[in-house]
Amino acid sequence: MGRLSHLLQTESHVAAADYAVLVNLTDVPEGRQRYQDLARALEWEKSRMSHHITRMIKRGLVVREDCPEDGRGAFAVITEAGREAIAAAAPLHVQAVRSLFLDHLTAAELRTLAEISARVMERLDDAPER
């Protein structure tokens, strides 16, 4: 993960944490998600999410919108600059994952890895959160 983060940062100037947030925002309608849902999706503490979003706001990658239904809640919303950053970084991310990991496995090993990963994810989905 360290090498992937370093490649992403040096090649696209997008930090791995920014990339993770932006990917999640591009995967939801209107590019907006409540802080708490985004934190849950990334498995981050609420305070980490809040501080990180504040830094991303300063760089123009996202904006904060108040939640009309809940005065304490807020949405992170991807900006056009955020969309441009993820569009530029995504191909580099794919290339880095391939060169660091996937290119070193056979088709049979990839199938086995997929089966193992699916089984682990299924168990995680069934396990109660702590």
Side-chain angles (χ1 to χ4, degrees), residues 79-95:
T79 63
E80 188 57 36
R83 289 189 187 282
E84 290 170 6
I86 193 71
L92 299 169
H93 184 267
V94 169
Q95 178 191 13

Side-chain angles (χ1 to χ4, degrees), residues 24-33 62-63 76-79 83:
N24 275 273
L25 290 176
T26 58
D27 285 346
V28 294
E30 300 176 23
R32 63 195 306 261
Q33 195 168 22
V62 298
V63 294
V77 184
I78 192 168
T79 63
R83 289 189 187 282

Side-chain angles (χ1 to χ4, degrees), residues 51-107:
H51 290 297
H52 193 80
I53 294 294
T54 297
R55 290 189 296 273
M56 290 180 75
I57 289 169
K58 289 178 184 175
R59 292 193 307 276
L61 300 173
V62 298
V63 294
R64 180 187 190 280
E65 286 183 2
D66 291 330
C67 178
E69 298 87 30
D70 177 3
R72 296 175 294 155
F75 289 95
V77 184
I78 192 168
T79 63
E80 188 57 36
R83 289 189 187 282
E84 290 170 6
I86 193 71
L92 299 169
H93 184 267
V94 169
Q95 178 191 13
V97 169
R98 284 188 182 282
S99 67
L100 292 171
F101 183 67
L102 297 175
D103 289 347
H104 305 286
L105 301 176
T106 66

